[in-house]
Amino acid sequence: MKYNNKLSSLLLTAVALASGFSLQSCKDQPDKFELTDGTPTIYYIRPAQLSSSDSLLVEAQPRAQICLVGSNLTSIQQMYFNDKKAILNTSFITKNTLIVQVPGDIPDEVSDKIYMITQAHDTLTYDFHVAIPAPTVAQMSCEYAAPGSTAVIYGSYFIDDPNVPLEVIFPDGKSADIKSVNSSRSAITFEVPNCTTEGPISVKSIYGTSSSSFRYLDSRGILFDFDTPNAVTNVVLGNHGWHAQKIETDATALSGNFLRLGDPSVTLDEDGGWNDGNFSFEYWPGNWADPETYQGDGVRLTSLVDFSDYNNMAYKFEMLVPKANPWASGAMQIIVGGVTKISNGNAGVKDIDGNVLGGANNTYFNNDVLPRGIYRPWEATGSFDTGDEWITVTIPISDFKYGFSGGAASGSLTAADFSSLTIFVVSGGIKGTECKPVIKIDNIRAVPNK
């Protein structure tokens, strides 16, 4: 919001006295609203918050709450900011004050005026500028989208002005070929340029430029890409538990190998019944040593990524669910646990830090105590696929609050719990439809969630 503080408090007092009333605070009035005759008069506009009531506004951003101060404001039947209609709540209208939210829709025609329509269909205007912010860049359909493929950026205020065209700028400075912008200016569809540089993506409009918090080709916090040796033990990590899920490549691959859960010949029942042989990927640290030293492919994942600020982090991965094998039951449970809960070794053995290991087991998560993330993209529509395209999935660790059955978990996590990772499509508390899903996963990483 932009303030005009040039008017002194004496001038405001004079305006109020000349009008023959005392200015009222903007707050909910319990009295019944009645639309009045006559015309309204606006003396000034201020923030809706009483703490800022001594500041005058000459502009505000979309969705800002503002308070009009004047007389006979109960005569206003409709209100427009530029060409966008505002929603009037009669609970926030008195004769002398009117609280309203500036419409969130971007105006098609900018007049920098508020239009007030009375019961008699008279229209009065008041000068006021709606300040459109620079674009916000929230997420990308696939952060590993290949050059030449079609991708989507999601956010807000994507204004494609004829004189200053909208731009999507990749980390190497190349601009994408924009195909379309949706009607709410919240999604840009474009062709990915030939960029091999990792980094944020920027969107530039007539109102400014903003960069993403996510990174294109993000290599931060990589735990499993199923191709590259990690920097700590120089080993490619993959299955490291009871089950050897398929790690493979085919014509659909982003690059190299990916993890596959499910199979076209395997049915998942409507309850997401237990089928760890086909739907559970496990990475449990340890190598059955005594004492356990976590060498080679048994490294603790906390040695690869710093999880000390885990509440402000997220697990991300790329995922492809084919049209031919949609997903319609079972929750993808993202499960973590420290070495005292789960390890690739015998229970009771100590490690080099003196921890008593939990051993290899599936009981540590089969309850409603251990918090975990739950992902059910099929829930809203009954069935889910990615249209044979890769997408980026984000699971904030702050959402790790569910138990095995999908309800609230009673336990809590610590940074040490992120030494292991299990991804298991099972249960989750919501009944779906029997299906034969295939879920391809790549580039599992833990990154800041900003």
Side-chain angles (χ1 to χ4, degrees):
M1 296 183 183
K2 186 174 180 180
Y3 300 145
N4 182 347
N5 289 314
K6 294 182 179 179
L7 293 179
S8 67
S9 59
L10 289 175
L11 178 57
L12 293 178
T13 302
V15 169
L17 292 174
S19 303
F21 64 87
S22 297
L23 300 179
Q24 298 186 23
S25 298
C26 291
K27 57 185 177 181
D28 194 352
Q29 300 295 318
D31 297 333
K32 181 180 179 181
F33 173 85
E34 292 184 6
L35 191 65
T36 56
D37 295 328
T39 58
T41 300
I42 305 299
Y43 293 116
Y44 60 88
I45 298 176
R46 65 170 176 82
Q49 298 85 355
L50 289 174
S51 60
S52 303
S53 61
D54 59 347
S55 300
L56 304 186
L57 295 177
V58 295
E59 69 174 32
Q61 291 190 354
R63 298 186 179 87
Q65 293 277 353
I66 63 174
C67 182
L68 284 64
V69 179
S71 61
N72 199 31
L73 302 187
T74 49
S75 67
I76 299 174
Q77 189 176 47
Q78 296 181 60
M79 181 177 291
Y80 289 80
F81 288 74
N82 297 302
D83 59 350
K84 298 303 178 184
K85 189 174 183 179
I87 297 174
L88 297 181
N89 185 339
T90 57
S91 296
F92 295 99
I93 302 174
T94 72
K95 290 182 179 180
N96 307 125
T97 60
L98 186 152
I99 293 178
V100 66
Q101 184 180 63
V102 179
D105 293 336
I106 307 302
D108 296 311
E109 296 183 13
V110 177
S111 61
D112 285 334
K113 292 185 182 297
I114 297 175
Y115 297 93
M116 295 162 283
I117 301 173
T118 69
Q119 183 173 217
H121 304 295
D122 295 325
T123 301
L124 293 89
T125 63
Y126 187 86
D127 292 339
F128 193 78
H129 177 61
V130 178
I132 308 302
T136 60
V137 188
Q139 63 186 78
M140 185 174 178
S141 56
C142 179
E143 295 174 12
Y144 274 75
S149 66
T150 298
V152 182
I153 288 283
Y154 301 97
S156 56
Y157 304 117
F158 296 147
I159 312 302
D160 192 14
D161 187 273
N163 299 313
V164 184
L166 193 66
E167 288 188 77
V168 175
I169 304 168
F170 272 66
D172 62 356
K174 293 186 179 74
S175 292
D177 181 10
I178 294 177
K179 303 298 184 183
S180 64
V181 180
N182 69 347
S183 59
S184 62
R185 281 100 163 189
S186 61
I188 308 170
T189 302
F190 58 93
E191 182 179 310
V192 178
N194 186 20
C195 175
T196 57
T197 303
E198 176 184 344
I201 292 176
S202 298
V203 176
K204 181 180 180 181
S205 79
I206 190 174
Y207 298 106
T209 303
S210 297
S211 295
S212 64
S213 59
F214 67 80
R215 296 185 187 182
Y216 179 62
L217 302 178
D218 196 355
S219 65
R220 299 172 300 169
I222 288 286
L223 299 172
F224 307 92
D225 70 1
F226 308 107
D227 298 299
T228 309
N230 68 76
V232 175
T233 60
N234 200 34
V235 173
V236 178
L237 299 185
N239 294 295
H240 204 249
W242 280 346
H243 301 97
Q245 298 302 338
K246 292 180 175 62
I247 295 174
E248 60 190 14
T249 189
D250 61 21
T252 70
L254 280 169
S255 62
N257 293 317
F258 55 81
L259 165 71
R260 171 162 65 88
L261 300 179
D263 187 274
S265 65
V266 175
T267 299
L268 187 64
D269 68 29
E270 62 183 12
D271 294 314
W274 189 289
N275 186 342
D276 51 356
N278 286 284
F279 291 100
S280 180
F281 167 75
E282 301 127 5
Y283 180 85
W284 301 336
N287 279 311
W288 299 86
D290 185 4
E292 182 56 65
T293 58
Y294 308 111
Q295 298 298 307
D297 59 356
V299 64
R300 287 170 290 193
L301 298 182
T302 48
S303 297
L304 306 183
V305 175
D306 181 3
F307 283 94
S308 58
D309 191 26
Y310 63 89
N311 275 320
N312 292 310
M313 298 175 68
Y315 282 104
K316 285 190 173 187
F317 51 87
E318 275 60 58
M319 182 178 75
L320 186 152
V321 179
K323 291 180 183 178
N325 294 94
W327 179 10
S329 67
M332 180 183 288
Q333 303 204 21
I334 315 297
I335 306 163
V336 299
V339 296
T340 60
K341 296 184 178 79
I342 182 66
S343 63
N344 206 42
N346 290 315
V349 169
K350 288 187 177 181
D351 69 8
I352 52 175
D353 298 321
N355 297 304
V356 178
L357 304 189
N361 70 92
N362 59 20
T363 60
Y364 76 102
F365 68 80
N366 189 13
N367 54 59
D368 290 327
V369 177
L370 181 70
R372 81 285 310 273
I374 281 187
Y375 178 52
R376 288 186 301 250
W378 54 265
E379 183 178 353
T381 58
S383 181
F384 176 81
D385 66 78
T386 64
D388 297 325
E389 302 289 338
W390 288 90
I391 65 170
T392 296
V393 176
T394 301
I395 313 290
I397 295 176
S398 59
D399 288 343
F400 277 42
K401 54 190 178 185
Y402 301 99
F404 181 80
S405 60
S410 60
S412 59
L413 296 173
T414 69
D417 282 310
F418 296 89
S419 61
S420 69
L421 181 66
T422 297
I423 301 177
F424 188 6
V425 180
V426 63
S427 186
I430 302 294
K431 188 181 292 293
T433 304
E434 186 179 279
C435 56
K436 296 181 178 180
V438 170
I439 303 170
K440 301 179 181 182
I441 296 173
D442 204 353
N443 304 319
I444 302 171
R445 54 199 183 272
V447 297
N449 187 31
K450 299 179 181 177

